[in-house]
Amino acid sequence: MKKTRILSSTSFLLIIVIWCVITYGGLVAEIFVPSPTAVIRKICESSADGSLWANCWISTKRVMIGWALAAVIALPCGMVMARSQAFNALMRPIMEFARYLPVVALVPLTILYVGIDESQKYLIIFLGTFFQLVLMIQDTVSGIDVNQINAALTLGASRTQLYKDVIFMAALPGVLDDFRMTIGWAWTYLVVAEMVAASSGLGYIILKSQRFMGTDVIFMGLIFIGLIGLLTDFVMRVLTRIIVPWYKRLGDA
Amino acid sequence: MDKLTVSELNKVFSARQGDVTALKDVSFSVRESEFAVIVGPSGCGKSTLINIVGGLEDKTSGSVMISGHEISGPGADRGMVFQSYSLFPWLTVQKNVEFGLKMKGVPAKERSETALSYIDMVGLNAFKDALPDQLSGGMKQRVAIARTLANDPEILLMDEPFGALDAQTRMLMQESLADITGRTGSTVLFITHDIDEAILLGDRVLVMSRRPGTIKADIDIKLDCKRNHEALTDEGFIRIKKQIMTLLWEEMDVKGESK
Ligand SMILES: Nc1ncnc2c1ncn2[C@@H]1O[C@H](COP(=O)(O)OP(=O)(O)OP(=O)(O)O)[C@@H](O)[C@H]1O
Ligand SMILES: [Mg+2]
């Protein structure tokens, strides 16, 4: 436990050291890689005027709403696909097709259909995560112990009870993992969502800064996306431990 | 009165490599409060048979009746105990035992009383709040048995329930199962590889032939001694054991599963 923590901090420190060396050591031009001092100065400035927090918040909100919509719909879809061959035959081709569509290519359509307000951002994140999530959940549910289902059936569970009290519960640890993975992806699609027709958010300030060679802002944006990602991941892990305390995984301390 | 009546039961699995006849014209019945044991060579269709009775597998033809009613699908009237325990890992021992009653909509208080009395019966009072993960294999199987009994099924179906346990635990489990089913008067259909186990537990032992499985012999077990580990050296016990071993040996294909 202690040892792994030291190792994890070491890898982080190493990146920071390399960053310091190449910037303060003058190995690359400041305009390509800003120095830590420059980035920290930028962070202080934009947190003082509140714009940093506003942008963090709006981006987080977009990710969470778009992703949550996908999760809420994908869960029953994936569960039923895993259990019903007919429903699977019906849905699978659509899902497989849709998940290979690059979300960037769907941006023009989303703007045509829903305009450029917030719902378009949610839609992009939804489209980016939904299809994958359905297939992941289907896979997770297919992997649960069929003996538990048989036991429940011979104990008199009805169809609804089977889904609610057994299949859902048995799949829950895996589903929470699927959720955690896809939240990460949702952040990728956020930048897609904020690339066009947006005027706020971390993705937006990163893209805007490119025009002025504002690498310090770009670095700040990247660092904050990374930090929020880490935080989300941490929260999800803690939640998983609280929601499914019976579940032990290889490598868990 | 017959609890379970199986008649002219056939099962053919259609596989890509051709059809496999697992069961051929299987007929037998189990009386109320009787402990019937099925033994047979590996792959003869024992699990297939018990899964059809449990409603987890479809039959090809024939009939399976519980108290005179044809079965359709799985149901709480036929409680199953699996070799793999199959407890719900997210529920405590007590909640596992309450599961069937909860499905039936029994009120919480009554549920908990019933569950506790069966947990007591299998000797796991101290573990009622433990999660399955914290139990040994033998304890898990005790919980599974209590869970099935608490549901008060018409018949208890057990497919090699002690197959995964070590020899000592197995012996203990056999004795407590004999004791419990003696007290509850449960009707049991029990499958095993272990001839000692079959004779120790069974009022009757049904011997199956190798695939396609049929019932080859139906032996009433009458022992003068008490049914515990001491019976293993009883003369009557040994005589029946020889008889069953001969029957099974005839079904052994020395060249392996050639047909
Ligand atoms: N789903 C299936 N598809 C095709 N064949 C099957 C299927 N299930 C079982 N069989 C075949 O049916 C036969 C009987 O299988 P079964 O599992 O009932 O045997 P068993 O008597 O329980 O064996 P064991 O004592 O090893 O548990 C075997 O030859 C097996 O290969
Ligand atoms: Mg078997």
Side-chain angles (χ1 to χ4, degrees):
Chain A
M1 182 67 217
K2 197 91 203 261
K3 202 170 146 197
T4 54
R5 206 165 271 178
I6 293 172
L7 284 172
S8 305
S9 341
T10 312
S11 66
F12 234 107
L13 277 175
L14 194 68
I15 293 174
I16 294 173
V17 168
I18 293 174
W19 184 18
C20 290
V21 169
I22 62 171
T23 51
Y24 296 131
L27 297 178
V28 288
E30 172 89 25
I31 196 154
F32 292 119
V33 182
S35 67
T37 340
V39 174
I40 291 168
R41 198 184 310 121
K42 198 80 219 170
I43 292 174
C44 293
E45 269 173 34
S46 40
S47 80
D49 68 16
S51 65
L52 176 61
W53 308 122
N55 284 321
C56 282
W57 165 242
I58 189 86
S59 289
T60 309
K61 192 174 136 201
R62 285 169 181 160
V63 167
M64 287 304 156
I65 293 181
W67 171 84
L69 280 173
V72 166
I73 305 175
L75 183 60
C77 257
M79 278 172 72
V80 178
M81 273 175 76
R83 292 289 299 165
S84 152
Q85 285 186 1
F87 192 67
N88 183 40
L90 193 71
M91 302 294 287
R92 188 144 195 125
I94 309 173
M95 297 292 158
E96 292 283 9
F97 177 78
R99 83 187 169 116
Y100 284 111
L101 294 180
V103 176
V104 191
L106 297 173
V107 171
L109 280 183
T110 60
I111 293 177
L112 274 176
Y113 294 160
V114 299
I116 57 165
D117 61 358
E118 286 303 294
S119 49
Q120 185 260 345
K121 316 289 178 292
Y122 305 150
L123 183 61
I124 287 293
I125 288 161
F126 176 90
L127 290 172
T129 48
F130 175 72
F131 304 102
Q132 294 284 355
L133 197 47
V134 170
L135 294 173
M136 285 168 84
I137 288 173
Q138 178 189 19
D139 205 52
T140 301
V141 174
S142 304
I144 67 175
D145 183 1
V146 66
N147 284 311
Q148 282 171 11
I149 294 178
N150 286 342
L153 287 172
T154 57
L155 287 165
S158 69
R159 208 181 163 77
T160 9
Q161 285 171 329
L162 186 68
Y163 273 102
K164 186 168 68 72
D165 292 329
V166 181
I167 297 176
F168 175 73
M169 291 305 291
L172 196 52
V175 166
L176 289 173
D177 273 346
D178 296 342
F179 281 175
R180 193 165 53 80
M181 301 283 289
T182 44
I183 289 190
W185 301 345
W187 278 97
T188 317
Y189 297 113
L190 172 80
V191 182
V192 176
E194 292 179 344
M195 206 165 54
V196 189
S199 52
S200 59
L202 292 170
Y204 165 76
I205 60 167
I206 289 176
L207 288 160
K208 193 183 66 176
S209 306
Q210 185 207 352
R211 274 178 255 156
F212 318 109
M213 297 288 255
T215 44
D216 50 352
V217 178
I218 296 182
F219 268 62
M220 176 182 77
L222 291 176
I223 289 170
F224 274 81
I225 289 181
L227 286 179
I228 298 173
L230 274 182
L231 187 70
T232 322
D233 199 79
F234 175 76
V235 170
M236 280 302 283
R237 279 179 200 275
V238 171
L239 274 180
T240 304
R241 220 167 294 160
I242 294 169
I243 300 172
V244 294
W246 72 88
Y247 181 64
K248 291 197 185 58
R249 197 181 356 192
L250 213 62
D252 267 6
Chain B
M1 168 74 186
D2 286 344
K3 263 278 138 130
L4 169 68
T5 316
V6 175
S7 35
E8 301 286 310
L9 185 67
N10 287 282
K11 175 69 188 182
V12 181
F13 287 108
S14 326
R16 214 166 292 158
Q17 312 90 300
D19 289 355
V20 176
T21 306
L23 299 172
K24 192 163 171 54
D25 294 333
V26 172
S27 301
F28 66 95
S29 51
V30 181
R31 282 186 301 277
E32 173 141 28
S33 293
E34 190 176 39
F35 199 120
V37 181
I38 295 183
V39 293
S42 183
C44 74
K46 302 182 296 295
S47 296
T48 307
L49 172 62
I50 208 161
N51 286 336
I52 292 175
V53 175
L56 298 175
E57 185 96 66
D58 291 326
K59 61 183 187 240
T60 305
S61 68
S63 119
V64 177
M65 292 196 284
I66 294 289
S67 304
H69 299 286
E70 189 71 36
I71 61 152
S72 77
D77 54 339
R78 286 149 290 142
M80 284 187 92
V81 176
F82 305 86
Q83 180 173 348
S84 57
Y85 321 128
S86 310
L87 298 178
F88 304 120
W90 56 91
L91 296 178
T92 61
V93 165
Q94 182 178 342
K95 296 286 175 204
N96 261 285
V97 177
E98 285 182 21
F99 187 86
L101 300 168
K102 190 173 170 211
M103 297 298 106
K104 268 185 212 160
V106 175
K109 188 160 170 291
E110 196 185 327
R111 222 156 63 197
S112 136
E113 276 167 16
T114 313
L116 288 174
S117 77
Y118 282 98
I119 291 170
D120 183 47
M121 193 182 285
V122 296
L124 286 177
N125 279 331
F127 293 91
K128 67 181 171 63
D129 297 319
L131 287 171
D133 231 30
Q134 300 163 299
L135 306 179
S136 71
M139 287 154 89
K140 282 184 196 159
Q141 200 56 297
R142 283 172 197 273
V143 178
I145 292 169
R147 180 177 68 177
T148 310
L149 286 173
N151 218 17
D152 194 23
E154 300 233 21
I155 187 167
L156 205 57
L157 307 171
M158 309 178 95
D159 187 357
E160 301 195 40
F162 308 145
L165 303 177
D166 64 85
Q168 280 78 29
T169 313
R170 187 177 247 247
M171 193 97 76
L172 279 173
M173 293 295 290
Q174 289 163 354
E175 286 186 16
S176 47
L177 181 66
D179 178 51
I180 290 166
T181 53
R183 270 196 279 165
T184 55
S186 310
T187 313
V188 187
L189 182 63
F190 188 102
I191 284 176
T192 182
H193 269 124
D194 180 338
I195 303 174
D196 287 344
E197 183 169 84
I199 305 170
L200 210 55
L201 292 172
D203 296 317
R204 248 169 90 207
V205 174
L206 303 167
V207 182
M208 282 180 77
S209 69
R210 69 162 178 260
R211 214 186 70 219
T214 52
I215 303 289
K216 173 176 169 151
D218 185 341
I219 303 162
D220 272 318
I221 310 291
K222 294 211 171 53
L223 293 178
D224 300 326
C225 56
K226 266 200 90 187
R227 303 222 174 181
N228 58 27
H229 59 278
E230 283 165 25
L232 295 175
T233 50
D234 178 78
E235 253 179 64
F237 187 99
I238 292 170
R239 205 176 320 117
I240 296 170
K241 186 171 174 178
K242 270 188 185 155
Q243 185 189 356
I244 294 174
M245 281 180 86
T246 313
L247 286 165
L248 279 176
W249 192 247
E250 290 165 9
E251 295 305 321
M252 297 294 174
D253 190 341
V254 189
K255 283 172 254 120
E257 251 196 307
S258 62
K259 177 96 211 321

